[in-house]
Amino acid sequence: MTNSLIDVLDAADMTPEAVRLRAHSYDLLRATSVVDVGCGTGRAVAELAERGVRATGVDLDEQMIAVARTRHPDADFRVASAEALPLPDASVDGYRADKVFHALHDPAEALTEARRVLTPGGRVVLLGQDWDTLVIDSDAPSLTRTIVHARADMIASPRAARRSRNLLLDAGFQDVATEVRTGVITDASMFPLLSGLAEASRATGAITGAQADAWLADQRHRAATDRLFLAVPIFITTATTP
């Protein structure tokens, strides 16, 4: 994990849509103690603490946890996976995972672990994008579809967000509900994401180098002329333990 990537994630976290979405997720939790799985650099843990919530941040990436501990030295951060949380049984009444489940090879296993650490009546809030449904305006729509789907195919569970409701039901959760909120980006702040899509597709051989360069040139021109359009539907799924 590079510092430049952390900078990109920081920029994404501070967009108005992201700020509102995090606040909404905290409201949905309705919890006094929360484990934030895939906590990254710890922003959500710090914001939950400001609300009086006892929050523990867990992430498998040691560099992310190191940054989180530097930024928020009074908070509780631990290096661990979603499948093996470093918490006792029935020890928290809230479980939050934001843009995490797409990276898991077995999201169902993570939800089994969520059931273990949650108290009866505890709340789960899962947030994530479906990697097949990124919406990008382009002069080459067919090529854009190829790029989006090729990138999705490189991800462990690219459609975990659309599966969240069924995954929670299968894991025995109750009161499962899903909503969708869409983030719209029209400036150059997320251009590194577009560049990453094209470069990944080029690396897999799904598109040629010339196609990648032409597609990125179009997107760069759109960003420079206020014509860039990227929409990211975020699925928010909540549930309660029996």
Side-chain angles (χ1 to χ4, degrees), residues 181-212:
R181 295 198 174 189
T182 302
V184 175
I185 298 96
T186 58
D187 59 34
S189 61
M190 289 295 102
F191 189 80
L193 170 63
L194 299 175
S195 178
L197 292 175
E199 293 304 326
S201 299
R202 183 208 308 252
T204 65
I207 63 173
T208 66
Q211 286 174 315

Side-chain angles (χ1 to χ4, degrees), residues 85-92 113-120:
L85 297 174
L87 298 172
D89 294 356
S91 57
V92 292
E113 183 69 347
R115 282 285 305 271
R116 181 186 70 79
V117 302
L118 280 167
T119 60

Side-chain angles (χ1 to χ4, degrees), residues 97-169:
D98 185 356
K99 298 184 289 295
V100 174
F101 273 47
H102 69 260
L104 305 179
H105 289 283
D106 188 357
E109 184 180 356
L111 289 179
T112 297
E113 183 69 347
R115 282 285 305 271
R116 181 186 70 79
V117 302
L118 280 167
T119 60
R123 292 278 290 169
V124 169
V125 178
L126 306 179
L127 305 95
Q129 70 270 34
D130 186 302
W131 282 83
D132 268 341
T133 57
L134 300 181
V135 180
I136 305 168
D137 193 19
S138 168
D139 289 338
S142 178
L143 177 60
T144 301
R145 283 192 296 272
T146 298
I147 289 171
V148 169
H149 294 155
R151 180 66 182 95
D153 288 344
M154 299 174 65
I155 295 169
S157 298
R159 290 164 288 279
R162 74 175 70 172
R163 296 179 57 214
S164 291
R165 179 179 183 274
N166 289 339
L167 285 166
L168 285 161
L169 289 171

